Amino acid sequence: MFRRIPDRNIWVIYAVVVLLGIAYGTSIAVLALHLDAHGIPKLAMGGLAAAFALGIVALSIPAGWIVQRFGAKVTLAAALAGYAVCVTSFPFLSTLFGLSVARFFDGAFSVGVWVAAETALLSRSDRSNKGLVMSLYAISLALGYVVGPLLSSFVVRVSTTGTAFVVAGGLACLAVVVVALALDGEPKGKTASSAHGDDEPAPESGVTTALEPAAPSTASSIFWRTKTSCFATFTYGYFQASVVLFLPLYLMAAKKVPADRTILVTAFFAAGMLVMSTWAGRLGDRHGHLLVMRVLAAIGGTMVAGFVLMPSFALMCVAVFVAGATLASISPVSLALQGVVTPRSELGRANAFYNAAYAAGMLVGPPVSGLLFTRYGGATMLFHLAGLWAGFVVLTVLFAADDPRHASSSRAMRAMLR
């Protein structure tokens, strides 16, 4: 693994992301308990989730400019420090307005971290291993989410839920120290687009890669170049935010699953992602990222639709595991595709669009899914999520040429037929 990813800076970023993931997991695990203990109504809790997503939307596009202007290292350290302040202040806030402001800036600083980390990883990785690099990025964050709740459970036993937020802030501060001491900045006299070595293979004719120098692109051209990656993350954000809220309710109401067993669903989903993510990244590097995303979406969407018909909880857990292995693995593969088709000098702006699309999905998904769930039931809600993934599959067919691998494969096929 170290031979395939020789740049130590990539491994430093993984360490930072693990620390951030533990901080996320530590705070999120006690968030609902903390709010409920302080008398915050359920409807207001939903509003706080919306404030978090709005923070992501608000800073997604500016974050790309900030990374381009100040560099990934400075942006990453500043965003981590901002997140540390927000999460540490949470237990000391008593009004809904104060909590909403904290959650808004929590989302804003979080997206700053994501854009900076993803830009650094994509710019430092080679064209042949971007899928692997981004899948390990997703796994690093997921590992943090696994460890975080365990740490939070220990902290709550010996102290209070408020202490868990302070611990999360401390972990974020530790991540700032790691960035400051261990992560290299841009070499002097070089631009972001040329700072990381030109050792990638030459691209096929007519294909834009992350190495090619280019004049500054317009926002619309960047979005159009990365539209399939953006729609992938929009769909995943829509799906993820919806099932987190409504799948447990569906299981309890329609499938008569006890409330305490619904907690296992999240674990099976995360386990599926951890098992498959690296393999998905490698397959994308070898056979084409868009093709792999199409297959993963088709399998995962089928699992979502088939979930309605499954009679036993054991089968449902298997379906959730497969859905996690496929749908959750799309995110790092879509980031890898973005890294292949975007010039390095434009990666910050492209990642900003990518994260804005994810946040937009998080904002739109729950209201639409909640309306369908309330009026027509959980089965209709799940079918509409499966339909959304089917729409993504169709989009990957219509815009298959967005992946340079498809273009080279088409040329090879035409040469064979001559």
Side-chain angles (χ1 to χ4, degrees):
M1 192 71 72
F2 287 99
R3 286 197 302 178
R4 289 204 62 187
I5 308 177
D7 189 341
R8 70 167 191 85
N9 289 282
I10 292 178
W11 296 98
V12 170
I13 295 172
Y14 290 156
V16 169
V17 171
V18 169
L19 287 170
L20 179 66
I22 297 174
Y24 281 158
T26 302
S27 60
I28 291 173
V30 299
L31 180 60
L33 294 175
H34 181 80
L35 294 174
D36 186 63
H38 287 74
I40 304 298
K42 302 293 188 296
L43 185 60
M45 292 184 193
L48 290 175
F52 177 79
L54 283 171
I56 297 175
V57 171
L59 199 71
S60 289
I61 304 303
W65 177 86
I66 293 170
V67 170
Q68 192 171 12
R69 174 66 178 83
F70 297 101
K73 178 176 180 177
V74 172
T75 306
L76 184 59
L80 284 167
Y83 168 76
V85 171
C86 288
V87 73
T88 303
S89 68
F90 208 78
F92 303 102
L93 302 172
S94 57
T95 66
L96 184 59
F97 175 77
L99 293 169
S100 298
V101 171
R103 284 296 280 166
F104 175 86
F105 283 103
D106 185 344
F109 285 120
S110 290
V111 78
V113 173
W114 303 337
V115 171
E118 290 160 9
T119 300
L121 289 173
L122 288 172
S123 64
R124 290 183 179 276
S125 58
D126 297 335
R127 188 165 181 256
S128 60
N129 71 349
K130 289 188 187 294
L132 175 61
V133 168
M134 299 317 296
S135 65
L136 290 175
Y137 164 71
I139 287 175
S140 299
L141 192 59
L143 284 174
Y145 274 111
V146 172
V147 175
L150 299 177
L151 175 60
S152 185
S153 177
F154 170 76
V155 171
V156 171
R157 281 200 302 269
V158 300
S159 186
T160 64
T161 55
T163 304
F165 292 101
V166 176
V167 170
L171 289 167
C173 288
L174 179 59
V176 174
V177 173
V178 173
V179 171
L181 298 181
L183 186 64
D184 293 338
E186 300 292 347
K188 293 182 179 180
K190 293 188 178 182
T191 64
S193 60
S194 64
H196 303 295
D198 296 339
D199 57 347
E200 299 183 43
E204 290 89 6
S205 177
V207 176
T208 300
T209 75
L211 281 173
E212 294 176 335
S217 302
T218 63
S220 59
S221 65
I222 292 175
F223 175 77
W224 187 251
R225 185 187 298 125
T226 61
K227 58 186 174 296
T228 43
S229 290
C230 287
F231 192 74
T233 195
F234 170 84
T235 305
Y236 183 66
Y238 187 114
F239 169 80
Q240 183 187 48
S242 297
V243 296
V244 165
L245 288 174
F246 299 112
L247 186 59
L249 299 179
Y250 173 72
L251 289 173
M252 290 185 288
K255 301 293 187 177
K256 309 303 179 186
V257 176
D260 59 336
R261 298 187 73 188
T262 63
I263 300 174
L264 297 174
V265 172
T266 303
F268 277 100
F269 188 87
M273 190 277 285
L274 288 173
V275 169
M276 184 62 189
S277 186
T278 301
W279 291 104
R282 289 181 173 181
L283 288 170
D285 289 335
R286 179 173 299 180
H287 300 291
H289 301 103
L290 199 54
L291 173 62
V292 170
M293 285 194 285
R294 183 185 309 143
V295 174
L296 293 174
I299 297 172
T302 301
M303 286 294 104
V304 173
F307 193 88
V308 176
L309 306 176
M310 294 181 180
S312 71
F313 184 66
L315 281 176
M316 294 176 204
C317 289
V318 172
V320 169
F321 178 87
V322 175
T326 52
L327 301 180
S329 297
I330 288 175
S331 183
V333 179
S334 64
L335 272 169
L337 174 62
Q338 185 156 289
V340 168
V341 302
T342 305
R344 280 182 174 164
S345 59
E346 303 289 357
L347 280 173
R349 297 169 69 194
N351 289 336
F353 279 115
Y354 182 89
N355 283 285
Y358 175 71
M362 292 178 65
L363 278 174
V364 175
V368 176
S369 296
L371 179 63
L372 292 173
F373 189 95
T374 302
R375 291 192 176 182
Y376 305 106
T380 300
M381 185 268 297
L382 289 174
F383 283 138
H384 114 277
L385 292 175
L388 188 66
W389 283 113
F392 171 69
V393 170
V394 172
L395 192 72
T396 64
V397 175
L398 293 176
F399 297 106
D402 281 5
D403 192 335
R405 180 78 66 174
H406 171 82
S408 60
S409 298
S410 298
R411 285 195 296 271
M413 182 64 69
R414 287 195 298 269
M416 291 176 60
L417 293 176
R418 288 172 182 170

